[in-house]
Amino acid sequence: MSFTVAIDGPAAAGKGTISKAVAAHFGFAHLDTGLLYRAVGAKVISGADPIAAAQALDPVDLEDDSLRTPQVAQAASEVAVIPQVREALVAFQRSFARRDGGAVLDGRDIGTVICPDADVKLFVTASPDCRAERRFQELSAKCMDITLETVLADVKERDARDRNRAAAPLVPAQDAVLVDTSDLSIDEAIAQAVAIVADARR
Ligand code: DC
């Protein structure tokens, strides 16, 4: 039987960590849909056409470690405004959502466009300063040469593009439960999300 958890929110709000933990807790499969756009963005950086790259995307393309860089994140946000790129990625996401045994998908438009009938929807957010600080720590730990100011500017630029685009903008679904992680520890944020999903399963 399928059970779909849709988790949306802006960059570095904690959706990835929460999604993985929720999936592990309930034994569901997890899809980080940002990786789809990152994989297309990476191909565009290497010279590919964005629409052709999205149409030819292979799940193996999602396993590349280099998709985690800030440059690829910006390229992902840029290709994500193109309606034909988004359309090319819909079927894969919907079939993942319907798989037997339950699925957690995280992204920007899961609760609004990809799975409007999801069994439970969360919108995970945090202040821009807080998100930039977390992303800065994460990238510094990977020895990336970057400043907090650059990361904050990057987060704000991506937020603006993701929220203001015409196709599937980042906006909470009307029936999404808001989780603000600004003042929560990772464990507290996960506990809140798990409780919301457990409640929806009753
Ligand atoms: O979640 P992320 O930071 O890895 O996503 C990278 C970019 O991909 C993000 O800035 C916008 C785009 N994206 C999207 O438009 N829709 C999604 N469902 C997931 C990501």
Side-chain angles (χ1 to χ4, degrees):
M1 213 183 72
S2 74
F3 185 92
T4 309
V5 182
I7 303 189
D8 291 303
K15 332 180 272 307
T17 307
I18 290 176
S19 301
K20 277 190 212 113
V22 166
H25 184 93
F26 294 98
F28 296 162
H30 170 230
L31 177 65
D32 168 359
T33 65
L35 283 180
L36 301 170
Y37 295 90
R38 285 174 183 257
V40 175
K43 285 182 188 289
V44 169
I45 291 173
S46 321
D49 168 75
I51 298 170
Q55 287 168 344
L57 204 67
D58 190 302
V60 187
D61 297 335
L62 311 182
E63 287 162 21
D64 193 337
D65 262 357
S66 67
L67 299 182
R68 298 284 173 197
T69 65
Q71 291 78 4
V72 173
Q74 280 296 344
S77 172
E78 284 166 24
V79 300
V81 306
I82 305 169
Q84 296 93 320
V85 166
R86 306 199 68 84
E87 272 160 40
L89 303 175
V90 168
F92 177 76
Q93 295 175 81
R94 289 200 177 137
S95 91
F96 191 97
R98 281 194 298 267
R99 62 168 51 203
D100 261 354
V104 180
L105 286 82
D106 75 89
R108 303 290 188 289
D109 62 340
I110 308 303
T112 49
V113 174
I114 302 297
C115 305
D117 298 327
D119 297 278
V120 55
K121 299 179 187 178
L122 304 186
F123 192 85
V124 179
T125 187
S127 70
D129 285 327
C130 187
R131 291 187 283 123
E133 176 65 35
R134 287 181 195 156
R135 188 49 55 92
F136 173 66
Q137 296 298 343
E138 198 182 302
L139 295 172
S140 300
K142 287 187 191 159
C143 298
M144 281 190 203
D145 186 18
I146 200 147
T147 64
L148 179 57
E149 291 68 33
T150 320
V151 178
L152 180 60
D154 193 73
V155 159
K156 286 185 172 166
E157 187 185 338
R158 228 151 41 96
D159 278 1
R161 196 184 298 111
D162 295 348
R163 289 196 165 109
N164 297 323
R165 68 185 177 216
L170 170 65
V171 55
Q174 277 187 349
D175 49 351
V177 182
L178 195 76
V179 177
D180 187 330
T181 65
S182 304
D183 299 318
L184 299 181
S185 68
I186 294 177
D187 286 348
E188 287 168 338
I190 291 171
Q192 250 190 46
V194 165
I196 294 162
V197 176
D199 211 35
R201 290 189 88 205
R202 282 203 197 106

